[in-house]
Each structure stands twice: as C-alpha cells, then as structure tokens.
Amino acid sequence: EALGMFQKLEKSSLEQVVVRSKYQVAQIYYNQNQFDLALQVFESIITKNSFSSIVLDALNGAVLCSESLGLKDKKLRYQSVLQDFFGINS
C-alpha cells in the first residue's frame, strides 16, 4: 500500500517531493530484498536528482544494494564517491 502511495507522489510537480518519494520507493524495495529494483531507483536518484541532499542516502543505498547483489566494482565506485567527494565512509 505504501509503495503505491509513494509511486503516486513521484508524479508531483515539486522536485523535493518527487526525489523523497523515489527514495522511499527504493527503501521499500530494499526492505523487501528486491535489491536489483532498489538499486535501479537509487541510481536514478543519483543521476537525475543530484541537487538534493537525498543523494547522499541514495549513494549509501546503492552501496548496500551492490554489496547484496555481489557487485563489487559498483560497490567500490559508490563508496569512492561518498568518501572522495563527501568525506563519508560507508
């Protein structure tokens, strides 16, 4: 039910509502162990919504999903972005 509500909010005209809704959708997928879907949404946030502070959380989510999917190169790339650009160790 929550997934459907957040997916509707993704169509908002307010960019911050859209990006936060996308993040919640990704979190729901992650919590349901649908790591591939969650990673797709996190990556969409990273590439299309870099203006938002949510991108830091999306990068961390991408690290976790990549780890769960066994995508070591992707995990290292996202960890590198967090550390090199933002000084955050994940």
Side-chain angles (χ1 to χ4, degrees):
E1 221 176 286
L3 180 61
M5 289 174 49
F6 284 118
Q7 287 172 328
K8 285 181 186 177
L9 286 171
E10 284 182 281
K11 296 176 179 135
S12 172
S13 61
L14 301 172
E15 285 296 316
Q16 285 296 340
V17 171
V18 171
V19 70
R20 290 177 188 279
S21 298
K22 279 184 183 181
Y23 179 77
Q24 291 302 323
V25 166
Q27 283 295 106
I28 290 169
Y29 286 145
Y30 181 83
N31 290 333
Q32 293 175 342
N33 296 324
Q34 295 181 8
F35 304 118
D36 54 339
L37 292 174
L39 182 58
Q40 288 176 26
V41 179
F42 285 135
E43 289 178 330
S44 172
I45 293 168
I46 293 164
T47 59
K48 297 178 184 172
N49 303 104
S50 60
F51 65 88
S52 175
S53 62
I54 291 292
V55 79
L56 296 174
D57 295 325
L59 282 163
N60 192 52
V63 168
L64 295 173
C65 288
S66 297
E67 182 175 24
S68 296
L69 292 167
L71 304 172
K72 292 181 182 181
D73 290 340
K74 231 177 219 208
K75 175 187 172 187
L76 291 173
R77 187 172 62 227
Y78 289 126
Q79 282 179 323
S80 175
V81 171
L82 279 169
Q83 186 173 9
D84 296 345
F85 290 100
F86 301 104
I88 299 171
N89 292 321
S90 61

